[in-house]
Each structure stands twice: as C-alpha cells, then as structure tokens.
Amino acid sequence: MTIRKIRISSQILFLLFFLYLFWKTSEVSGRWIPVDLYLRADPLLALLGMIAARVLIPSMLASIAVIAATIILGRVFCGWVCPMGTTLDLVSRIGRTVNRFKLRQFQHLKYYLLSGFFLSAVLGYQLVYNLDPIALTTRIFTVALLPIVVTTFNYIFNLLFQIEPLQFQLLGLQSSLIDSLLPLEPYYFQTAFILGLIFAVIIGFELYSRRVFCQVVCPLGAMLGLMGMPQRLKRKVNQDCTECGECQLVCKTNAIPEDFSQTEFRECIQCFNCVDVCAPGATIINFRGEAKSCVTDFTRRKLLLSGVGGIAAASLTGISYIRPEQASKLIRPPGSTPEAEFVERCVRCYQCLRACATSGNFLQPSLLEGGWAGLLTPYGVAGTGYCEYNCTLCTEVCPSGAIHPLNVEAKHKTVIGLAYFDKNRCLPYANGTPCIVCEEHCPTPKKAIEFKQEEYQYRDGSKKMIKFPFIVEELCIGCGICEFKCPVEGARGVCITNKNQQRFRPGGQFGKDNKDYGNE
Amino acid sequence: MDKFTNRRQFIKTAGVIGAGVILGMPQELMADAEVRTGLPSIAVVKKGLPAAMTRKAVEMIGGMGKFVKKGDKVIVKPNIGWDRNPSQAADTNPEVVAEAVKMCFEAGAAKVMVFDRTCNNGKRCYANSGIASAAEDAGAMVSFVVDAGFRMYDMPNNTFLTKWELYTPALEADCIINIPIAKHHGLCELTLGMKNLMGLMGGDRGQIHWKIHQYLPELAAFIKPQLTIIDATRVLTANGPQGGNLSDVEKMDTIIASPDIASADAYATTLFGRKPTDIGYIVNGPKYGLGEIDIEKMNLKVATI
C-alpha cells in the first residue's frame, strides 16, 4: 500500500464522514459528535469570523488542530481531508481530467482574495463565507445537491405509485426511507438554482484541469499555504531523477516547476502523486534533508490593491439600505445573537436550514431581504413552513454561535416575532366566513389567538354570530404556523413580522432587541 | 345470556338472519335484524385500563370479527395530528391504538396499516405521540401520509363536498377503523369521529372549516368507516385541539365504540356536558344516512370494568 493509496482512502473516509454528519444534522437524536465539526475545524472561518464579530467563538477553537497539522505537515487538509477537494477529485476521476491549464500565474489570485477578505473582516464585515470551501460545500449540499437527489427520488416514486398493486409496498418503503434519510416535505429554497449554477461552474472547470478552485480561488487554501511555509514534511528529488517530467504531469496543483527537483510548497497539498509515479524512485517526501523550494512571490502592489478592494467591499456592504417593510419580515431563528453580530458570525453554512428543512421547513436563505451585510443569511418564511414548537434543531447545529443552543423549555419561551391580522383578507372580517384555522394550530398552551364573538351582517341583510380572531401579544411567539396554515390564497389573512423578537446576548440573558436589526 | 331475552326470540332471529343470508338480503337490513336481537349498536365502557376498555367495548358490539374478515387489509386511523406526548391528550392514546391493531389481527386481518395526515411535522408527531412505536409493536405497518397517495374523488351523493383529494390507500382498504380522541375545538366545539376523518383528506384542509358542519357528515357518509372507537381516556377540555397545558386535561377513562360514526359522536358530547344537538355536524348526520343521534333512542349499553 503506497502512501498515495492511504491518502485516497483518507479522502474517501473523510468525505463519507462529512456526509454522515450532514445526514445527522437533521436527526433529532443519536448525535454522538458535533455535526458541525468540519465547519468548526475551519481556521479561516474561525479567524475572520472572530475578527469581524469582535468576539471569541469557543466552539471554533477546534480549528487549532488543523493549524497545528498544517505547520508540521503542510496542506494535508487540502489533499487528505477537505470535502470540496475530494468532490473535485471524484469529478476529475470520472471525467479522466488531465492537467491541461498551467495555472501558475493565476495561483496568486487566492492570496489577493484572502487579503481582501482579511481587511474587510478587520473593518467588521465577514465576507469570506462567499468562497470558504467548507461553508460553500455544506451550502451547496444543502440547498442544491440534496434537493436534486430527493426530488429525483420523489419523481420516480410517484411514477411507480401509479401501479396500483404496488401501492402498499411502496408506501412502506417510502415511509422507512423518510424515517431514515428522506425529508417528509419537499424542499423549497429560493437560492437553489443559483447555488446549483455555482456548483456547475466549479465542476465545469474541473473537467478541463485539476483542482482549479483550490489553486485559484480557495482562500482557505491560501491561508493554509501561508501557514505551511515552515512545514517539515517536504518533497525532495535525488540524483536518480531521469527528468522524465511525469511528476509535473500528475501534480494536481501545479506545484512542480520546470526544474522538477524544485517544489512550490505553498501549493503542494501532499497528495503523493509525484512519489507514486516516479519510476526510478527518485522522489521522496519526508522530514529529513534539504528540499529545494521555489517561491514565486506575489507582488506587494497587487496585495495592497486587493486589500484596498476588501476595504471598499466592506464599506459598500455597510451602506446598503434595507427597506423597513423588508426589515420587519426578517425573522431570525430562535436563539439568534443581535443582528449586527449575527450577520458577521454567520458563515452561511446552512446547517440550520438543513436541520429545519426536515422539521418546520421554515428557514430560507435570504437574498437582499437583510441588505448586503445580511446576504444569504437564514431567515424564516411562513410561506414554506413555520417554526416547529418543540423543535430546537437549528440552534444545536450552528458552528459559529450565530444561533445560541436552546433547550426545549427555553425555546418555548423565545419570541421570534409577532403575528397580526390583515382584516381586509382574514375571512371572518373580510366576508363573514367562519374560520378558525389559525387558532386551531396556535401551539402555545394558552393560545395566543382568541376570539370575540360578534354579529356579522351579510350583503343580503341576514345576520349571523361569527368568531373574530385576534392576537394576544403577550402570548404570541411568532412561530408563523398561523400564517402558514391560513387558508386564504395569496397573501394570507394573518402574517408575522419580527416585532418583539428576542435576541440572545452572549453572557446568558435574553434581551428584547427590536432596534438593532439592519445596519449600524 | 342477556343477548337474547328468550328462546323464542332467538329462534325467530336465527330464522330471520338465515333467510336473509339465503335471499342475499342487503347488509343494512341485516344490521337492523341485529339491532332487534338486542346486540347494542353503541357500547360505552368506563373505569378501566385503556386497552381493556377498548377490547370490552368492541366485544360488546359483536367483536372485531364483525368488522374485520379473514385476509382483510385494515386501516386503523388514529388522530396523530400534533407534536404532543400522550399525557397532553392531543393525539389518540397509543394503548388504545395498539389494542385495536391486535384485535384486528386476532380477527384474521392480513395487514393492518396506521397513518394520519398530521398538522405538525409528521416525524415528530408519529414519534412524540407514542403511536408509531405502539402500533408497530402490535404488528401494524406504520407509514407516513405521502403526496403520491392522494387522488381526486367524486362524491356524487353530496351537496357541498362533491369533489376532494382523498388518501387512496385508506379508501381502497377493506375496512377502516376510526379511532379519534375526544377533544375541545375552537370551531366545531368538539372534535370527535367525523373530524378525525379529515386526516384522510389532501389539499388545503383549512377551507373545510368554512362549511365544517356540512362537510364533515358528507365526508363521513362517503368514507363510511366500519367502526369508530372514541378514545376518551384522557380528554382536552379547553385550548384544543392541540392543548399543551396539563391542567386542561381531564382523565375520563371512557371508551365508546360503535359501527355508526354519528351515534358515537353524539354520545361523546355528553362527556363534555353537552347535547348532541349542540354540535352542527352531528345534527346534520342523519341527513346523509348516518345513524341515530338521539341518545334516548340508541341501542346503548354502558359497562364498567
């Protein structure tokens, strides 16, 4: 067994483990390990998140392990662990991709991006979520890939269900799958297509050359590359080298220059392909001896320029305007930190969406509802679902503490918004039709929707006693089930806004926070 | 021995039934014949354990064998609407459901299925109500209600509910056993057997509420469950149908069983200190061929354990 084969096994195992945690994210019980482990271990998200939000995020200190490994071993995380990297390797294996593009001149781009993200974080805006590979992978898996799998399955299932004698068997099969793997309700994600497209672009490049994303764009790769500079585990080539050039061809990240004995160690991801392919056995990777490094320095001017770009991006993010009616619709998950901190902590990994999709189906990725600063953050939409009363899943899976963990009792008392009736649309008010669906579904033990019974006069002059619903503000927690279940088509007769929302303040208490959403 | 008052009546009844079978007499008339024999058309059992009361109530109206034939596909339809635990009395008592499932198998059922279209998340309701595990332990196949199973049904005999999506696996089964839990409800006042059948409806059920007192008896007349067992072991007296507050739950230790859904519902109103005529959908029951709602006129038998 060569080290390369061990590396491939490691990649497969880490990807399977990633998928296992991804699956466990939506499970109510049986979590023996934090399901957000990969995100917690991401040093880039940890560092820039803490800088931007100006807080220490204890859960993300797990990333120190990755930093330590990188200092000793180099970018093994990229080559042996990263789920994005493994996904790309899988694609290139299926597509039999060879390294067609010599991307050496573009490899610097990721350092410039890192510099921009770093300076924007210093200014208080965490923008690295856009390209961080771990956040991007969970995001794509949640919003694009899993829905594709589930929708395809449901499509096939519905076709088979037309065959009448099979019905009862199929029902049992689907039920057991729902129990273990599938969601009960179909997914609705408004950004699904966009993320699908982003994934398609990343995959598309992979069909032409290997690890394009990792070489050119990945800011985590850039950070680990810089950290790995003093690494001990290095590639060396001895006198037996016949200069056949095979190692340069198989190198995934173009880390071997024209002089095959040299290595660009910031780019090397320790995949051991070069060792494996070297016929005379001239290439070795170990801790001993002198290694020939070739460092192509990125220009300071460009680094400076990209830093300025980061500052500009941060400033422009900060001045985006949120329309007040949109701001009032921005219903954050229960246990969220105050808005200004929330948007900087949130890494848009969509673990919360993933958990919610199999429960209340309430959380959606925002577009510009929360302004540019809140781009792609999770917020509740009562059109697709509602916040399930006894569910605390989203609060349990947040890697960056943007959502604080709540137990069921605390969750029951956490107010995320307030419902109001639109009397022009609500049936009893609008046309005297008796309807109580909102009250029926209201989950608080003492219902937050009550009735007053009054006489309604119809157009023909006849009169009838009708129950008119109203909201009891002190009892309403803003879960949105009333809006979701309201039978009025189109805009509902009862709606929720984020009025009265409670935000969790680090330190342990809940505070009313209705003033500081949006930008400050 | 109290089934038949004297030998003469027994012979007479046996003759009637025998003749009925030979002449291929319609089932309704046969049921009438049974009523005349003294077999109660509705049984109420009080003060016992949920499972024992369920068994006794069904035995009093003739035993499960009267409804479930050998090799039948049977649907047991409890109320699993809400993500609540059994003590909160929002969903049917799991012990009652499990006992009914067992009795179906004893009567020779080939397959017993348990499902309900839930209001909260299905996975949570099935687990938290305790019904999924109890029914599975009793041997039933518990499945989620999935979109693929709904078909549009025409109901030509109805005036209001003439067309609706219903759950095919239930409607194609040989026998439906309806097991609601008796609860307070904001619009219907009480939710009982007929309301429980809404769990087999697809589409936007919220719209049903606009004409609920007409729709429910029409739905019951179309689906015609063979047996209704009302679980009133624990009862929500306020803040229904979901509850959540244990002080709203009253322990009543009562099970009602009847082949007639309207009679069962009518009797259940008395548990809440109400009259059958207080509830619109019960009053409208007889218009659609559902049975007796006057408690005085029912062939009623009450027993305690």
Side-chain angles (χ1 to χ4, degrees):
Chain A
M1 191 125 166
T2 61
I3 297 181
R4 177 173 167 268
K5 286 202 174 127
I6 298 173
R7 186 262 302 167
I8 293 172
S9 320
S10 154
Q11 281 189 293
I12 293 169
L13 285 177
F14 273 107
L15 182 65
L16 289 175
F17 187 52
F18 175 81
L19 292 173
Y20 170 78
L21 293 179
F22 183 69
W23 165 55
K24 276 282 168 195
T25 304
S26 66
E27 292 290 297
V28 180
S29 56
R31 296 218 203 103
W32 54 278
I33 195 166
V35 290
D36 48 1
L37 193 65
Y38 281 66
L39 292 146
R40 288 187 188 194
D42 182 333
L44 181 63
L45 290 179
L47 182 70
L48 297 198
M50 289 190 222
I51 292 174
R54 277 91 164 121
V55 287
L56 183 79
I57 306 172
S59 61
M60 296 197 97
L61 294 177
S63 57
I64 290 173
V66 172
I67 295 174
T70 307
I71 288 171
I72 301 165
L73 303 170
R75 283 174 65 181
V76 279
F77 182 84
C78 305
W80 293 54
V81 179
C82 178
M84 174 68 94
T86 309
T87 311
L88 294 181
D89 283 351
L90 272 174
V91 171
S92 60
R93 174 159 286 226
I94 296 165
R96 299 226 170 117
T97 307
V98 290
N99 250 345
R100 201 165 285 138
F101 302 154
K102 293 291 165 218
L103 292 167
R104 301 215 57 189
Q105 52 192 334
F106 297 106
Q107 284 173 346
H108 289 162
L109 180 63
K110 60 177 177 291
Y111 299 103
Y112 302 141
L113 284 169
L114 180 66
S115 145
F117 286 136
F118 181 77
L119 278 173
S120 60
V122 171
L123 257 71
Y125 292 92
Q126 187 258 111
L127 299 177
V128 74
Y129 68 84
N130 280 295
L131 289 174
D132 179 87
I134 310 297
L136 191 60
T137 312
T138 30
R139 190 153 74 225
I140 287 172
F141 272 55
T142 302
V143 176
L145 293 192
L146 184 65
I148 291 172
V149 173
V150 171
T151 313
T152 312
F153 177 84
N154 283 342
Y155 182 72
I156 295 168
F157 183 84
N158 288 0
L159 277 181
L160 289 175
F161 212 80
Q162 306 293 329
I163 310 163
E164 298 260 320
L166 280 178
Q167 273 190 6
F168 284 91
Q169 277 70 25
L170 284 171
L171 217 57
L173 174 72
Q174 199 186 21
S175 267
S176 51
L177 282 173
I178 285 172
D179 245 350
S180 51
L181 289 172
L182 293 178
L184 190 51
E185 305 286 335
Y187 291 119
Y188 302 101
F189 292 124
Q190 58 177 355
T191 57
F193 204 91
I194 301 173
L195 274 167
L197 220 54
I198 291 173
F199 190 58
V201 169
I202 296 174
I203 295 286
F205 274 116
E206 196 62 21
L207 293 175
Y208 287 95
S209 199
R210 304 202 61 185
R211 295 267 191 157
V212 179
F213 176 86
C214 313
Q215 289 186 62
V216 180
V217 187
C218 183
L220 178 62
M223 182 187 183
L224 295 180
L226 293 175
M227 276 178 180
M229 284 306 271
Q231 82 204 46
R232 306 291 314 280
L233 188 65
K234 286 184 174 176
R235 171 178 177 270
K236 288 126 209 161
V237 181
N238 63 23
Q239 317 88 308
D240 298 340
C241 175
T242 57
E243 304 206 347
C244 66
E246 282 294 322
C247 54
Q248 198 192 35
L249 280 178
V250 295
C251 180
K252 289 190 213 173
T253 54
N254 287 312
I256 300 171
E258 292 313 314
D259 177 356
F260 306 132
S261 68
Q262 292 183 341
T263 319
E264 160 65 288
F265 287 112
R266 283 190 311 230
E267 300 301 326
C268 174
I269 58 170
Q270 314 285 21
C271 71
F272 282 79
N273 274 358
C274 51
V275 178
D276 206 58
V277 81
C278 189
T283 309
I284 41 167
I285 296 182
N286 64 12
F287 289 101
R288 267 167 286 133
E290 277 295 305
K292 279 199 221 162
S293 166
C294 91
V295 178
T296 52
D297 254 328
F298 25 75
T299 70
R300 296 228 174 86
R301 282 164 187 278
K302 282 182 186 162
L303 212 55
L304 195 73
L305 212 58
S306 53
V308 172
I311 293 171
S315 314
L316 293 178
T317 305
I319 59 164
S320 80
Y321 170 71
I322 312 171
R323 298 212 308 273
E325 69 274 21
Q326 271 187 345
S328 73
K329 280 284 174 195
L330 210 59
I331 293 148
R332 295 300 186 190
S336 294
T337 48
E339 184 68 12
E341 193 179 320
F342 180 84
V343 295
E344 304 317 331
R345 275 183 183 250
C346 176
V347 298
R348 279 73 156 171
C349 63
Y350 294 171
Q351 291 271 98
C352 52
L353 264 79
R354 161 95 185 102
C356 191
T358 44
S359 189
N361 227 345
F362 184 50
L363 295 177
Q364 284 286 320
S366 73
L367 288 170
L368 285 174
E369 289 87 342
W372 280 103
L375 184 72
L376 301 181
T377 44
Y379 79 121
V381 180
T384 58
Y386 59 94
C387 186
E388 188 73 60
Y389 187 60
N390 291 331
C391 176
T392 55
L393 278 181
C394 66
T395 76
E396 293 164 16
V397 297
C398 181
S400 61
I403 312 172
H404 192 86
L406 299 176
N407 61 26
V408 179
E409 286 92 278
K411 157 73 197 299
H412 283 172
K413 293 192 196 99
T414 304
V415 179
I416 57 171
L418 175 69
Y420 69 94
F421 280 97
D422 182 345
K423 292 186 180 177
N424 291 320
R425 298 191 66 85
C426 173
L427 295 166
Y429 295 102
N431 50 14
T433 304
C435 179
I436 50 91
V437 176
C438 50
E439 189 260 5
E440 181 183 27
H441 286 88
C442 181
T444 53
K446 188 158 174 13
K447 286 186 185 287
I449 297 177
E450 288 180 5
F451 302 114
K452 53 180 186 289
Q453 197 144 359
E454 275 169 20
E455 202 170 55
Y456 185 90
Q457 186 168 356
Y458 294 90
R459 255 183 69 212
D460 60 4
S462 64
K463 288 175 182 169
K464 197 173 157 190
M465 291 301 279
I466 295 281
K467 284 176 170 171
F468 294 96
F470 62 90
I471 301 288
V472 185
E473 188 165 344
E474 315 80 88
L475 296 175
C476 179
I477 52 170
C479 72
I481 194 169
C482 49
E483 181 178 341
F484 180 59
K485 302 277 181 178
C486 175
V488 177
E489 279 168 19
R492 302 297 158 103
V494 58
C495 301
I496 48 169
T497 63
N498 63 5
K499 191 175 177 225
N500 293 350
Q501 62 175 321
Q502 290 169 330
R503 295 302 186 93
F504 188 89
R505 293 188 189 283
Q509 325 86 354
F510 285 95
K512 289 237 173 187
D513 170 14
N514 198 31
K515 287 195 204 88
D516 66 345
Y517 57 73
N519 300 310
E520 282 159 62
Chain B
M1 278 312 287
D2 53 358
K3 273 187 187 172
F4 304 105
T5 42
N6 57 44
R7 189 175 295 145
R8 183 168 301 188
Q9 201 183 342
F10 173 75
I11 292 166
K12 204 171 122 193
T13 316
V16 169
I17 292 173
V21 170
I22 291 159
L23 297 170
M25 212 163 128
Q27 252 185 330
E28 292 80 50
L29 292 179
M30 288 201 28
D32 280 351
E34 273 169 359
V35 168
R36 262 178 266 131
T37 65
L39 196 63
S41 64
I42 172 165
V44 179
V45 181
K46 296 187 172 187
K47 295 199 181 78
L49 292 172
M53 287 194 291
T54 308
R55 184 166 287 272
K56 174 127 198 203
V58 175
E59 273 165 9
M60 278 161 64
I61 53 170
M64 196 56 96
K66 216 179 114 187
F67 310 102
V68 176
K69 301 282 170 285
K70 254 199 166 51
D72 271 3
K73 248 181 225 157
V74 182
I75 303 298
V76 169
K77 163 65 182 74
N79 184 337
I80 328 178
W82 308 100
D83 180 19
R84 297 289 195 208
N85 63 44
S87 67
Q88 290 170 318
D91 304 310
T92 307
N93 190 325
E95 294 169 47
V96 174
V97 180
E99 192 66 13
V101 171
K102 278 182 211 152
M103 290 166 79
C104 290
F105 281 121
E106 286 162 19
K111 190 171 224 170
V112 180
M113 291 184 67
V114 176
F115 49 66
D116 187 17
R117 185 170 170 212
T118 59
C119 295
N120 290 135
N121 177 270
K123 278 190 190 181
R124 289 184 170 272
C125 298
Y126 275 43
N128 202 359
S129 68
I131 292 174
S133 54
E136 250 160 25
D137 290 347
M141 177 182 153
V142 179
S143 66
F144 294 105
V145 169
V146 292
D147 288 346
F150 287 101
R151 297 257 191 293
M152 194 59 91
Y153 281 81
D154 283 314
M155 300 175 231
N157 297 334
N158 290 349
T159 330
F160 298 96
L161 188 72
T162 50
K163 218 174 186 216
W164 203 273
E165 278 179 83
L166 299 174
Y167 203 51
T168 345
L171 276 99
E172 278 175 11
D174 301 300
C175 176
I176 299 178
I177 296 169
N178 181 27
I179 314 187
I181 177 167
K183 284 186 290 184
H184 164 267
H185 188 276
L187 184 74
C188 309
E189 321 258 327
L190 297 173
T191 142
L192 300 163
M194 290 193 225
K195 183 93 171 55
N196 193 40
L197 294 179
M198 276 179 69
L200 303 177
M201 299 180 90
D204 185 355
R205 297 181 293 181
Q207 296 174 356
I208 291 293
H209 292 86
W210 305 344
K211 278 196 171 23
I212 195 137
H213 297 301
Q214 287 78 31
Y215 280 176
L216 286 188
E218 291 193 342
L219 178 68
F222 183 77
I223 295 181
K224 270 219 167 67
Q226 276 74 1
L227 171 64
T228 298
I229 303 171
I230 297 185
D231 162 30
T233 50
R234 279 181 286 237
V235 163
L236 255 185
T237 53
N239 285 315
Q242 224 188 131
N245 201 341
L246 288 181
S247 61
D248 294 332
V249 178
E250 198 180 315
K251 207 159 175 288
M252 281 196 183
D253 288 330
T254 304
I255 294 282
I256 302 163
S258 174
D260 193 287
I261 191 166
S263 304
D265 282 6
Y267 183 85
T269 58
T270 62
L271 300 176
F272 295 83
R274 309 291 294 264
K275 294 194 293 296
T277 46
D278 290 349
I279 315 289
Y281 64 82
I282 298 180
V283 174
N284 288 336
K287 281 187 209 163
Y288 299 97
L290 303 176
E292 188 54 63
I293 62 158
D294 187 342
I295 294 165
E296 301 289 306
K297 290 184 193 156
M298 282 178 198
N299 192 351
L300 169 76
K301 194 149 193 309
V302 183
T304 51
I305 290 183

